[in-house]
Amino acid sequence: MQTVYTDFLVVGAGLAGERAAVEAAEAGFSVVCLSLVPARRSHSSAAQGGMQASLGNSVMGEGDCPDVHFADTVKGSDWGCDQEVARLFADAAPIEMRRLAHWGVPWNRVVPGKSIYYKGGKQYEKVEAKEKEGLIMARSFGGTAKWRTCYTSDGTGHAVMCTMDNRCAEKGVEVHDKTEAIALLQDGETCFGVVARCLRTGELRVYLSKATMIAAGGFGRIYPNTTNAVICDGGAHTMCVNTGVVPMGNMEAVQFHPTGIVPTDILVTEGCRGDGGTLLDVDEKRFMHVYEPEKAELASRDVVSRWMTHHMREGHGVKSPYGEHLWLDIRHLGEEHITGKLREVYEICTSFLGVDPIHQLIPVRPTQHYSMGGVRTNRDGAAYGLKGLFAAGEAACWDMHGFNRLGGNSLAETVVAGGIIGRKVAEYLEGCETEFKTGLINDEVGRQQARIDALISGANGSENVYKVRAAMQEALHKGANIFRTQEGLEKCVAELQEALIRAKKVGLRSNGKGVNPELAAALKLEGQVRLALMVAYGALMRTESRGSHNREDFPARNDRDWLTRTLAYWKKPEDTLPTLEYEPATTVVEIPPGDRGYGHSQIISADDRKE
Amino acid sequence: MSRLLKLNIFRYNPEDELSMPHMQEFVLEETDSMTLFIALNRIREEQDPSLQFDFCCRAGICGSCGMVINGRPGLACHTKTRDLPGEITLLPLPVFKLVGDLSVDTGTWFREMYTKTESWIHTKKIFDPTALEERMDNKDAVAIYELERCVECGCCIAACGTARLREDFLGAASLNRVARFLIDPRDERTEHDYYEIIGNDMGIFGCMGLLACEDVCPKHLPLQNQLGFLRRKMGITSLKRLFRK
């Protein structure tokens, strides 16, 4: 069996992982990134809209600064975030965008003079300043006070991913693509690498490292309807959960994006609404301004998704063979804008829907989109529970998003956090000595080989991996969606516990030889069901509504009892529920909890505690 | 009653000594808005769980799912079955190494390309975190992005006569990449430097002008224009060299 040694091992080669890799490589350390797919196919590349950074170059961004970005982020999080981390992020974002420009990102730039823009379907005029010509331009996004989202047409993720991967190639960062990490190597105190499966041959391989980072994106594929790529299946999270000592933070905080297209759930960017697109109901009437007079379509995603669902429940949805949906209207933006700044949207609509968005409405509905929860880390990106283990990007709960993330903040987080945490990893590596315990390594490899053999021989049973996976997805879809209730969540937890029993009895129908996709699915299934239980059980226990977590039976945001972050552990393999612990949402408070200016208004104040 | 689709799919698992390359037939009932992404996943989940194929974003953005669909390289995710006849033949992309069934190794091929073309900005300038960003004309930024939209699906390489004949041919995706850096004002390489990379039979002079690369490009990149652009640029460079001697 092949053993690969490196200073820094990154599981995932998207933007967060590669940004951290570059930082460590520039400090002189050897770095290997593992990736399920060639790096540029990472889900980061699918991000269309842009990255938030308070450069303030556009006339509509005048007066913007890190303080305003910080305030928007904290409000967006519904005060669920770590304010110290949000501050680190907002301060570093402008520098990071400029650095990306230096490395090669073709950001759209300020063109001076008059131009028109749309808001809420109405046309306005703006004049960009001559002295700002050629600086990085910004567009509008939901939940922000200023135009702050830097972009490259609507292929921002793709453009930045290309530049980052080029930088990795230049700096000698190795990317082992078609490689899947399946278990952490650790002794309960320190992590020293992973056991991985080669997706070219099916062989097991050992990677030993002084520092290991989980940067494998979200886990949206535990839901049946999601905008996430098929690789966003939580495989890397399951490795951490399975250790029993690494907690996941805020797993119940799941973001639903307002504009997934029907029926395929492919995302059309928030830039559509940022650039002036409107949401229409069955009568082709706008409705968001009725619920949110101030922000209308540009309230934060949790709020827009909730009102859309509410409006459909009130009988204003468009009936279709795939269930009800609403319309997104960008027709008034015109052909040049749609085929230029929204070209990916144009291509998605024409290729996947047979809809021409220049003349037709786009069918949309809220769809699972982003996991605010993930591997809980401190502000340096170090995971709780194991020394030498780090996490960054969507995979992590670092936690600048709290219970709702603003559009354009996740793509920005990947590179900003990747840079900050990459430097912390380099500092960690400076003085680091690690012992690689060969006995432990052999035991872990043996354990993984035994799991594989049992799945192939059907020693544990003959449950169908795809059927059990579907049962898990359905349970979450029904019980842990946009609106949640005690009854629904209890049922969801019970169904997931049943799925967990079945997941332990999976047996393959194929021979499992080589790069067997059924085996890959089976190896992570039990861990996925554990993740799903963390989502559902965490949501059941959290008796309040905050950001994306919306309890119909507890509609108020309860700062008195729930200004906390959930930590979910899977302490013993035979457990049937996660163990939940809580910690304060933030230790530093720059902005005390208050009204967001949009969304629900019921708040149980933290001050009530003192009375 | 919807159509019954007949899919003939190439099968071979190089890691299984009993496996022989062959075509296998699957029958599937067509549903509304069915794409090859939906069809292949249904076959794997319901009929043969060992079937290998690659998808990632399933939205035409990442380029994972290039394959030969009824004789033509294309992205399976945005190929709707209603645009195809009832009998569909699927083969893996040629040129790239086969991983199994419809899955090929594009990652290794493209990584080698980055190395050959030194696919990064070459500059002596050092980034100053305290300074304002360097200005750039928006037209330049838009022109660069236009070429950077390549998703590295490999369709242009698989459809290329020269690439099928000679392993060392850079191919349309690589020449497009070179053009992207050539027009980038931040890159300090000279035309002479670029000539060293592409001014030979492996580069611009290897193309036979069959034009298939541009025909099959799922992102509609102007690949032939780029080749023409590079040939003119490099032709001038080559002439200058002659007169200097």
Side-chain angles (χ1 to χ4, degrees):
Chain A
M1 190 184 54
Q2 203 188 344
T3 301
V4 178
Y5 172 83
T6 183
D7 291 325
F8 183 30
L9 178 72
V10 186
V11 179
L15 282 177
E18 284 207 333
R19 179 68 189 86
V22 165
E23 205 60 39
E26 285 180 343
F29 296 102
S30 68
V31 190
V32 174
C33 297
L34 307 184
S35 179
L36 295 171
V37 292
R40 289 171 196 225
R41 310 221 193 287
S42 301
H43 197 44
S44 301
S45 75
Q48 298 161 17
M51 290 189 178
Q52 282 201 38
S54 55
L55 292 164
N57 293 328
S58 164
V59 65
M60 303 300 288
E62 247 171 42
D64 202 10
C65 65
D67 291 342
V68 184
H69 188 184
F70 168 80
D72 282 345
T73 302
V74 174
K75 281 183 200 168
S77 82
D78 221 352
W79 279 271
C81 74
D82 184 327
Q83 294 194 18
E84 201 177 2
V85 167
R87 170 53 72 182
L88 278 176
F89 164 74
D91 286 350
I95 298 169
E96 203 63 35
M97 298 309 126
R98 293 183 177 124
R99 193 192 317 269
L100 290 175
H102 182 76
W103 286 354
V105 172
W107 293 119
N108 280 34
R109 303 295 180 135
V110 176
V111 179
K114 258 189 214 168
S115 57
I116 54 163
Y117 70 97
Y118 291 87
K119 196 177 162 190
K122 286 202 193 98
Q123 190 176 318
Y124 299 89
E125 197 178 84
K126 67 178 171 64
V127 182
E128 295 294 346
K130 179 73 186 154
E131 68 267 22
K132 301 281 187 183
E133 180 171 12
L135 296 177
I136 299 171
M137 182 58 186
R139 59 163 45 139
S140 180
F141 253 50
T144 65
K146 305 275 178 187
W147 286 26
R148 185 186 298 133
T149 311
C150 310
Y151 64 100
T152 298
S153 300
D154 60 352
T156 312
H158 178 85
V160 178
M161 194 67 237
C162 287
T163 294
M164 196 64 75
D165 198 41
N166 285 339
R167 188 81 185 168
C168 280
E170 183 186 358
K171 295 291 158 191
V173 171
E174 281 184 50
V175 179
H176 293 193
D177 64 12
K178 282 191 176 282
T179 305
E180 178 159 40
I182 59 170
L184 287 185
L185 288 165
Q186 47 92 24
D187 56 9
E189 284 173 13
T190 310
C191 173
F192 46 91
V194 304
V195 181
R197 186 165 166 261
C198 172
L199 300 182
R200 287 189 176 83
T201 63
E203 285 163 6
L204 291 186
R205 208 184 282 155
V206 164
Y207 286 87
L208 299 177
S209 57
K210 291 180 181 172
T212 304
M213 174 180 273
I214 307 296
F219 48 86
R221 286 274 156 184
I222 66 173
Y223 278 83
N225 308 112
T226 171
T227 63
N228 286 192
V230 295
I231 53 170
C232 302
D233 55 18
H237 294 82
T238 69
M239 295 197 297
C240 299
V241 168
N242 292 348
T243 64
V245 295
V246 177
M248 299 289 122
N250 280 348
M251 292 295 275
E252 63 271 36
V254 179
Q255 181 172 77
F256 293 81
H257 195 290
T259 56
I261 62 171
V262 182
T264 50
D265 299 294
I266 295 169
L267 179 73
V268 291
T269 176
E270 182 163 326
C272 289
R273 279 170 292 132
D275 290 358
T278 51
L279 291 166
L280 307 181
D281 62 18
V282 66
D283 304 321
E284 302 193 11
K285 278 196 185 133
R286 278 185 79 204
F287 56 90
M288 273 308 299
H289 65 291
V290 178
Y291 299 116
E292 295 290 338
E294 188 86 354
K295 289 261 181 181
E297 277 87 353
L298 289 175
S300 64
R301 289 176 179 174
D302 57 330
V303 173
V304 178
S305 292
R306 211 151 51 228
W307 286 128
M308 287 169 78
T309 309
H310 170 80
H311 201 62
M312 287 191 277
R313 280 179 172 186
E314 298 283 298
H316 305 297
V318 184
K319 303 252 185 313
S320 89
Y322 303 97
E324 291 195 11
H325 64 78
L326 295 159
W327 300 114
L328 174 65
D329 184 9
I330 58 172
R331 295 172 299 183
H332 51 283
L333 302 184
E335 183 169 356
E336 192 188 337
H337 189 102
I338 293 171
T339 56
K341 283 183 185 162
L342 296 172
R343 179 159 53 187
E344 287 296 337
V345 171
Y346 180 73
E347 288 190 6
I348 286 166
C349 289
T350 49
S351 304
F352 294 89
L353 286 175
V355 163
D356 174 3
I358 300 168
H359 303 292
Q360 289 171 288
L361 299 172
I362 310 168
V364 293
R365 68 179 167 208
T367 299
Q368 194 287 341
H369 178 59
Y370 188 83
S371 319
M372 270 77 73
V375 179
R376 174 66 187 143
T377 71
N378 65 13
R379 66 172 180 170
D380 295 340
Y384 285 17
L386 285 177
K387 213 173 138 230
L389 182 65
F390 296 81
E394 190 178 351
C397 178
W398 183 35
D399 169 14
M400 54 171 277
H401 303 304
F403 273 75
N404 174 67
R405 143 180 105 68
L406 295 181
N409 257 0
S410 73
L411 201 58
E413 181 195 13
T414 60
V415 292
V416 176
I420 292 172
I421 297 168
R423 278 189 288 284
K424 291 291 170 187
V425 169
E427 279 172 28
Y428 174 83
L429 287 168
E430 277 306 335
C432 177
E433 290 296 334
T434 310
E435 275 179 54
F436 297 123
K437 298 171 183 167
T438 52
L440 273 173
I441 296 164
N442 289 337
D443 287 352
E444 191 56 58
V445 172
R447 206 159 28 238
Q448 295 307 319
Q449 191 58 56
R451 279 178 70 202
I452 291 171
D453 294 344
L455 285 165
I456 291 174
S457 67
N460 300 329
S462 59
E463 284 282 358
N464 179 328
V465 60
Y466 298 115
K467 288 191 175 154
V468 180
R469 192 173 72 183
M472 166 189 76
Q473 291 170 332
E474 261 330 290
L476 274 181
H477 180 64
K478 280 185 289 174
N481 216 301
I482 292 179
F483 288 105
R484 301 163 175 193
T485 61
Q486 174 165 342
E487 193 192 357
L489 286 164
E490 277 172 353
K491 192 155 172 272
C492 176
V493 167
E495 285 171 3
L496 288 171
Q497 285 177 316
E498 208 173 295
L500 186 64
I501 295 168
R502 291 174 67 194
K504 291 176 197 277
K505 294 179 185 162
V506 162
L508 300 192
R509 286 171 297 153
S510 56
N511 65 14
K513 284 188 180 170
V515 194
N516 185 285
E518 191 187 17
L519 177 59
L523 279 169
K524 68 189 83 158
L525 181 63
E526 191 181 335
Q528 284 178 315
V529 182
R530 289 177 179 175
L531 289 177
L533 271 163
M534 288 176 164
V535 173
Y537 190 59
L540 175 63
M541 290 296 123
R542 185 174 280 273
T543 49
E544 66 154 354
S545 294
R546 185 182 298 274
S548 66
H549 171 67
N550 202 65
R551 284 285 298 260
E552 286 183 282
D553 40 358
F554 295 94
R557 190 184 84 205
N558 184 342
D559 294 332
R560 185 189 61 206
D561 305 315
W562 288 105
L563 210 53
T564 57
R565 181 175 303 105
T566 310
L567 299 178
Y569 293 83
W570 204 275
K571 295 215 164 165
K572 290 197 289 289
E574 62 273 19
D575 285 351
T576 58
L577 276 179
T579 305
L580 303 185
E581 294 172 7
Y582 296 91
E583 65 177 10
T586 188
T587 47
V588 174
V589 181
E590 271 191 62
I591 307 180
D595 184 23
R596 295 162 99 187
Y598 49 81
H600 63 78
S601 50
Q602 266 179 286
I603 297 171
I604 298 170
S605 167
D607 298 333
D608 292 352
R609 212 167 2 202
K610 292 167 197 158
E611 286 162 18
Chain B
M1 172 76 187
S2 49
R3 287 194 299 178
L4 282 182
L5 299 174
K6 190 159 60 155
L7 287 102
N8 303 306
I9 298 178
F10 176 80
R11 302 302 306 270
Y12 177 51
N13 181 356
E15 299 299 319
D16 180 356
E17 62 270 27
L18 298 176
S19 173
M20 294 286 283
H22 66 286
M23 299 300 290
Q24 187 177 350
E25 187 184 299
F26 296 93
V27 175
L28 192 69
E29 195 181 328
E30 192 173 30
T31 52
D32 273 355
S33 308
M34 185 180 248
T35 61
L36 286 179
F37 168 72
I38 296 168
L40 284 167
N41 276 286
R42 271 191 53 195
I43 291 172
R44 178 149 82 193
E45 292 181 17
E46 293 163 15
Q47 300 186 36
D48 189 338
S50 69
L51 184 63
Q52 289 184 50
F53 50 78
D54 291 320
F55 283 96
C56 179
C57 74
R58 58 79 177 95
I61 294 169
C62 80
S64 293
C65 59
M67 59 183 71
V68 179
I69 303 157
N70 282 355
R72 193 182 168 89
L75 292 185
C77 69
H78 73 188
T79 301
K80 296 182 279 294
T81 54
R82 70 166 187 239
D83 298 334
L84 296 171
E87 190 162 346
I88 301 166
T89 300
L90 301 178
L91 292 160
L93 289 183
V95 182
F96 304 98
K97 191 178 174 208
L98 182 76
V99 174
D101 300 340
L102 299 173
S103 170
V104 296
D105 181 2
T106 47
T108 304
W109 194 96
F110 276 94
R111 187 77 185 207
E112 275 171 21
M113 183 268 269
Y114 311 159
T115 317
K116 278 186 209 157
T117 60
E118 298 194 8
S119 162
W120 50 83
I121 298 276
H122 290 54
T123 180
K124 290 201 178 63
K125 287 182 190 147
I126 292 165
F127 176 69
D128 176 2
T130 62
L132 212 58
E133 65 266 29
E134 208 160 297
R135 289 169 199 259
M136 187 189 239
D137 193 314
N138 193 51
K139 285 199 186 78
D140 287 341
V142 170
I144 294 164
Y145 177 65
E146 184 64 23
L147 304 184
E148 201 156 270
R149 291 191 307 117
C150 170
V151 294
E152 304 188 355
C153 59
C155 289
C156 63
I157 308 298
C160 171
T162 308
R164 302 272 293 261
L165 290 172
R166 47 186 307 170
E167 270 184 17
D168 56 5
F169 182 55
L170 281 167
S174 322
L175 295 173
N176 177 67
R177 176 66 52 81
V178 170
R180 177 249 177 270
F181 285 100
L182 189 61
I183 63 168
D184 193 325
R186 293 166 293 194
D187 197 299
E188 291 165 2
R189 277 180 280 187
T190 64
E191 278 162 23
H192 178 80
D193 294 332
Y194 285 113
Y195 193 84
E196 290 295 315
I197 304 170
I198 57 168
N200 50 38
D201 281 354
M202 282 90 83
I204 46 171
F205 302 122
C207 169
M208 299 189 286
L210 300 177
L211 310 185
C213 52
E214 189 163 325
D215 278 354
V216 301
C217 177
K219 303 307 277 187
H220 311 295
L221 293 175
L223 297 173
Q224 283 300 318
N225 278 349
Q226 292 320 305
L227 181 84
F229 164 72
L230 291 175
R231 274 189 172 165
R232 283 194 302 278
K233 270 263 193 214
M234 294 300 120
I236 294 165
T237 310
S238 156
L239 280 174
K240 277 190 202 154
R241 274 184 162 191
L242 276 176
F243 287 116
R244 209 174 292 144
K245 273 173 192 168

